[in-house]
Amino acid sequence: MDKLVSTARIIDRIFRIVSVLLTIALIACAVGLGIIGAAKIFDLPTEMVGSVDGQLSFGALTLHVAEGALPVFDTMLLHMAIMLVMGIGVAIIAKLCVRTIRQVLAPMTRGEPFHSEVSGHLRKLGWLSLILGLAAQIMEAVSMLTIAAMYRLDQLLVSDRIYMVEVAPSLDLSILIAPAVFFLLAYVFKYGAELQTLSDETL
């Protein structure tokens, strides 16, 4: 039991650090949105806001786009604003996941692994992990589609050797694995809590 308690405390400290890092990410996204908002409201010059590097990355493949084919800077700002808003949403869900994990660990740090609250927190974590997985995939799909539209990939890449460019985001069903594990653990811990209650009543 002592080993379980010490391990739970170590894991809890790690997730406390993760929570701080997610808070920093949230602040960074909010600052980025503020800069974009100030750029639009006060009509700031482009060089004060940022620049378009003209690089399109698809995994290990990077395309360097000529200056004449770059999208309008305002369109790039809109894309960045959308990504920052979605990034804030993903970070908030991730923080809720971390908080719920710490709630699961709290009874374990006290030497009560089968506390009655644990199964409920695990179910909540299952739903949150599912929402987080879906949100991350939606963010990736939106990013892919907006980049394709901004850079007009259909015009940029089509040639006598390439007759069509297709962007087709797909759903990765592996995001269902983590929620399924958490729901299963919730059932196991609920059953363990019931056995613990029966044992305490017997004693």
Side-chain angles (χ1 to χ4, degrees):
M1 184 62 73
D2 291 341
K3 188 174 182 180
L4 172 66
V5 170
S6 66
T7 302
R9 287 176 178 170
I10 292 170
I11 296 173
D12 182 66
R13 290 191 197 102
I14 292 171
F15 277 103
R16 188 186 305 168
I17 295 170
V18 172
S19 181
V20 172
L21 293 175
L22 287 170
T23 301
I24 294 171
L26 274 170
I27 294 171
C29 288
V31 169
L33 276 176
I35 292 172
I36 292 173
K40 298 300 293 179
I41 293 170
F42 300 106
D43 196 22
L44 298 177
T46 301
E47 56 271 13
M48 288 186 65
V49 182
S51 60
V52 182
D53 59 10
Q55 294 185 7
L56 284 176
S57 296
F58 304 95
L61 174 66
T62 300
L63 303 178
H64 297 266
V65 183
E67 188 173 347
L70 292 176
V72 178
F73 190 68
D74 284 348
T75 307
M76 287 292 297
L77 284 182
L78 178 61
H79 167 73
M80 285 303 302
I82 293 171
M83 290 298 101
L84 287 172
V85 169
M86 297 188 75
I88 288 174
V90 169
I92 289 173
I93 299 169
K95 273 184 69 68
L96 289 173
C97 285
V98 170
R99 187 177 72 178
T100 307
I101 290 171
R102 294 190 66 198
Q103 288 173 337
V104 170
L105 290 169
M108 297 182 188
T109 61
R110 301 191 302 265
E112 303 173 355
F114 292 107
H115 194 278
S116 58
E117 296 178 356
V118 173
S119 62
H121 291 317
L122 283 169
R123 277 195 303 274
K124 180 181 176 183
L125 187 58
W127 288 113
L128 284 172
S129 63
L130 178 61
I131 294 169
L132 179 62
L134 289 172
Q137 290 210 15
I138 290 170
M139 184 177 178
E140 183 181 353
V142 170
S143 176
M144 190 185 304
L145 291 170
T146 53
I147 287 175
M150 279 191 311
Y151 282 89
R152 300 299 303 270
L153 290 184
D154 55 337
Q155 297 181 8
L156 192 66
L157 299 178
V158 170
S159 66
D160 55 345
R161 292 175 182 248
I162 300 174
Y163 68 90
M164 184 176 66
V165 174
E166 184 178 1
V167 180
S170 59
L171 180 64
D172 184 2
L173 294 179
S174 64
I175 62 171
L176 300 176
I177 295 174
V181 171
F182 288 128
F183 288 136
L184 179 61
L185 285 174
Y187 174 78
V188 171
F189 274 84
K190 182 180 179 181
Y191 185 66
E194 291 173 354
L195 289 178
Q196 184 69 51
T197 302
L198 289 172
S199 175
D200 293 341
E201 290 175 353
T202 303
L203 293 174

